[in-house]
């Protein structure tokens, strides 16, 4: 039996500027109140190492972890492989293959060098960073998908030392699928630590946990706060906030399909953002009518999360006067996930300039992108898609510019560089490309 649930309908034509602006806001929690609580955790891990990690696992995770059992053992990996359902194993193998293929194709050549001017060559050389920690959360479930999305591009990029940090369960163990996914990828360092203490552990290193130069992956406000406080010790990567999505629909879309897909990201938590954006009153009405029935087919917790999102200002249906107005709202919002439901999705693609990922057509729901399609599902949130990009092999590589000028190519470049250096008042610069150099070189 379908339960009556409130689904917000936001008619942009009836909203003032402040109300429209409210729709663009995320419910991301402020880390300010947490910072003072995180500082002593960081200091404890820095000073006590594994002892502090074990204590915090017992205190925060209610998990019986000892200082000598923080690292997953080869036996833990073996047991996880035996325990894991074969269908889940095959799905993980399928996903790993797709995600690896995508990131292999994404990886740049080690170096490119082009002739910019006759005899003058310039380009880029790419080198993998030496180490990275992949943070895999566990607060609202187990997420082997995060293992795959964070660790696979690191391995493909050529990072020598890749580790995974993840909160232990109440049994003191790591989720089976997390361990199996790590082994499939080729990562054998998995540590039982989560929250702020995990960030501190990889920032400073402990007796067991390796020190890393970077940490990636989504986490709780405590994780975000620790990354903020340790940003001068470890590269915190791009912060990932609560999940958000927009289902953009033209008149050809089926509102029922839009409703089904709207629940993908809205079930992550009550702090998610999820909208159907359409210029079609029929699509809007059909979606609103279908959502309660789909909610009834979900578990109580996830349906509760989605209902909270879709009944407030962070979710529901946004109705516009025209499709161009719908596109404008999408670009203003800059969603983490964007689906375009249409019979002609590629005709709309060129209009989208701000989105973490763009999934086209009726057969490309976010579920595929999150698990098996290949592109990375760690995406910029909170409007950062206006300037930031999905996690990629480039996040695990650094780039050095390379230049080489031949004797024949040098004179015209030197002359122009000398003029500009003199104009800017840099005498040393100018002298280095003057007759002084020619004299040293015997010209």
């Amino acid at each position: 039996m379908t339960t009556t649930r409130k689904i917000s309908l936001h008619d942009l034509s009836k909203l003032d500027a402040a109300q429209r602006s409210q729709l663009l806001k995320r419910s991301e929690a402020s880390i300010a109140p947490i910072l003072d609580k995180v500082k002593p955790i960081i200091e404890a891990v820095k000073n006590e190492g594994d002892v502090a990690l074990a204590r915090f696992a017992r205190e925060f995770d209610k998990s019986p972890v000892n200082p000598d059992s923080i690292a997953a053992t080869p036996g833990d990996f073996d047991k996880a492989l035996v325990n894991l359902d074969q269908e889940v194993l095959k799905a993980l193998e399928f996903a790993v293959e797709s995600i690896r293929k995508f990131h292999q194709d994404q990886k740049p050549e080690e170096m490119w060098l082009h002739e910019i001017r006759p005899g003058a060559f310039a380009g880029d050389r790419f080198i993998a960073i030496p180490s990275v920690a992949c943070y895999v959360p566990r607060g609202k479930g187990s997420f082997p998908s995060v293992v795959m999305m964070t660790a696979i591009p690191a391995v493909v990029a050529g990072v020598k030392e890749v580790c995974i940090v993840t909160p232990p369960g109440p049994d003191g163990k790591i989720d089976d699928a997390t361990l199996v996914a790590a082994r499939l990828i080729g990562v054998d360092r998995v540590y039982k630590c989560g929250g702020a203490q995990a960030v501190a552990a990889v920032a400073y290193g402990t007796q067991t946990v390796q020190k890393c130069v970077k940490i990636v992956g989504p986490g709780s406000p405590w994780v975000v706060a620790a990354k903020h406080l340790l940003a001068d010790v470890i590269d915190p990567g791009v912060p990932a906030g609560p999940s958000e999505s927009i289902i953009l629909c033209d008149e050809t879309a089926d509102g029922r399909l839009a409703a089904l897909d709207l629940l993908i990201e809205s079930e992550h938590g009550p702090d998610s953002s999820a909208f159907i954006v359409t210029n079609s009153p029929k699509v809007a009405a059909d979606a609103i009518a279908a959502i309660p029935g789909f909610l009834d087919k979900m578990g109580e917790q996830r349906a509760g999360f989605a209902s909270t999102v879709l009944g407030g200002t962070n979710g529901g249906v946004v109705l516009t006067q025209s499709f161009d107005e719908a596109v404008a709202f999408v670009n203003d919002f800059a969603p983490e996930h964007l689906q375009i439901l249409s019979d002609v999705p590629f005709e709309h693609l060129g209009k989208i300039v701000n989105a973490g990922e763009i999934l086209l057509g009726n057969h490309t729901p976010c579920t595929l992108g999150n698990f098996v399609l290949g592109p990375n599902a760690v995406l910029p949130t909170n409007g950062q898609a206006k300037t930031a990009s999905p996690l990629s092999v480039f996040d695990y590589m650094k780039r050095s510019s390379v230049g080489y000028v031949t004797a024949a190519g040098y004179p015209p470049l030197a002359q122009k560089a000398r003029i500009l250096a003199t104009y800017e008042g840099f005498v040393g610069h100018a002298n280095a490309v003057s007759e002084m150099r020619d004299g040293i070189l015997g010209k």
Side-chain angles (χ1 to χ4, degrees):
M1 180 177 178
T2 299
T3 305
T4 301
R5 302 177 191 262
K6 176 193 172 187
I7 308 299
S8 297
L9 174 63
H10 312 282
D11 188 337
L12 282 194
S13 67
K14 298 177 180 178
L15 302 184
D16 59 28
Q19 291 170 318
R20 185 182 190 280
S21 179
Q22 181 63 39
L23 294 181
L24 301 177
K25 291 183 179 180
R26 278 45 161 201
S27 59
E28 190 161 355
S30 170
I31 62 171
I34 306 173
L35 293 175
D36 287 340
K37 298 177 181 179
V38 168
K39 288 177 183 177
I41 296 174
I42 292 173
E43 283 303 307
V45 173
K46 180 180 179 182
N47 296 325
E48 302 174 49
D50 290 347
V51 171
L53 290 181
R55 183 171 70 250
F56 291 135
R58 293 191 296 270
E59 180 180 347
F60 298 135
D61 302 311
K62 310 303 179 188
S63 182
V65 174
N66 297 314
D68 59 355
S69 65
I70 290 169
T73 66
D76 292 333
F77 284 93
D78 293 339
K79 289 177 184 176
L81 187 58
V82 171
N83 293 338
L84 193 66
D85 183 274
Q86 285 298 299
E87 286 192 350
V88 177
L89 172 61
K90 292 183 183 303
L92 287 175
E93 291 172 336
F94 182 93
V96 166
E97 183 178 359
S98 298
I99 298 165
R100 182 183 285 126
K101 176 65 167 62
F102 175 88
H103 290 91
Q104 285 173 337
D105 290 347
Q106 186 184 64
K107 184 180 180 181
E109 294 183 16
E110 182 177 342
M111 188 175 80
W112 64 267
L113 205 61
H114 293 170
E115 192 169 22
I116 307 301
R117 296 276 182 179
F121 300 83
D124 283 326
R125 179 171 176 250
F126 293 90
I127 307 170
I129 62 176
S131 58
V132 69
C134 301
Y135 186 89
V136 179
R138 199 171 178 180
K140 297 172 184 174
S142 299
F143 304 103
S145 60
V146 178
V147 177
M148 296 185 289
M149 292 297 178
T150 56
I152 288 174
V155 172
V156 170
V159 179
K160 297 297 183 185
E161 296 182 2
V162 181
C163 73
I164 292 166
V165 286
T166 187
D171 57 359
K173 298 179 181 179
I174 297 168
D175 168 60
D176 288 336
T178 293
L179 288 174
V180 171
R183 173 169 279 185
L184 290 173
I185 296 164
V187 175
D188 58 7
R189 297 180 183 181
V190 183
Y191 302 116
K192 303 172 187 176
C193 53
Q197 60 270 27
V199 182
V202 295
Y204 293 114
T206 72
Q207 295 88 340
T208 299
V209 180
Q210 68 188 89
K211 175 180 169 61
C212 295
V213 300
K214 186 169 187 173
I215 182 170
V216 299
S220 69
W222 291 73
V223 171
V224 176
K227 288 181 179 180
H228 175 80
L229 291 170
L230 290 167
D232 60 342
V233 181
I234 186 171
D235 182 344
V238 177
S243 299
E244 52 187 60
S245 67
I246 284 181
I247 315 297
L248 176 62
C249 303
D250 63 14
E251 299 90 338
T252 69
D254 188 319
R256 297 168 301 169
L257 198 61
L260 187 64
D261 290 348
L262 186 65
L263 299 176
I264 297 172
E265 295 302 316
S266 63
E267 75 167 339
H268 271 279
D271 54 356
S272 298
S273 298
F275 294 99
I276 291 170
V277 180
T278 183
N279 62 312
S280 168
K282 183 178 187 307
V283 169
D286 289 349
I288 290 173
I291 289 171
F294 292 137
L295 286 170
D296 285 343
K297 291 180 172 61
M298 299 167 62
E300 183 178 346
Q301 183 188 51
R302 298 295 177 181
F305 290 160
S307 295
T308 299
V309 172
L310 302 181
T313 58
N314 288 111
V317 179
V318 175
L319 182 62
T320 64
Q321 295 293 101
S322 67
F323 191 72
D324 285 343
E325 187 181 9
V327 169
F329 181 87
V330 170
N331 285 327
D332 283 347
F333 192 92
E336 176 189 18
H337 304 272
L338 173 65
Q339 284 183 234
I340 301 180
L341 293 185
S342 168
D343 289 346
V344 287
F346 282 92
E347 291 186 11
H348 304 318
L349 177 59
K351 300 174 183 177
I352 304 300
V353 294
N354 297 324
E357 74 172 355
I358 306 170
L359 302 174
L360 302 170
N362 296 335
H363 298 92
T364 322
C366 281
T367 306
L368 301 188
N370 284 343
F371 295 108
V372 297
L373 185 58
N376 208 289
V378 179
L379 303 163
T381 60
N382 200 28
Q384 292 182 94
K386 291 181 179 178
T387 58
S389 305
L391 193 70
S392 70
V393 294
F394 298 102
D395 291 284
Y396 302 90
M397 307 183 83
K398 57 182 181 177
R399 179 172 53 88
S400 298
S401 298
V402 177
Y404 170 68
V405 179
T406 65
Y410 169 77
L413 273 73
Q415 181 202 18
K416 295 297 188 296
R418 188 167 63 250
I419 292 170
L420 293 173
T422 301
Y423 180 83
E424 293 191 2
F426 290 111
V427 179
H429 283 64
N431 288 344
V433 288
S434 69
E435 64 277 359
M436 298 181 194
R437 187 179 211 89
D438 296 337
I440 294 171
L441 292 174
K443 292 185 178 180

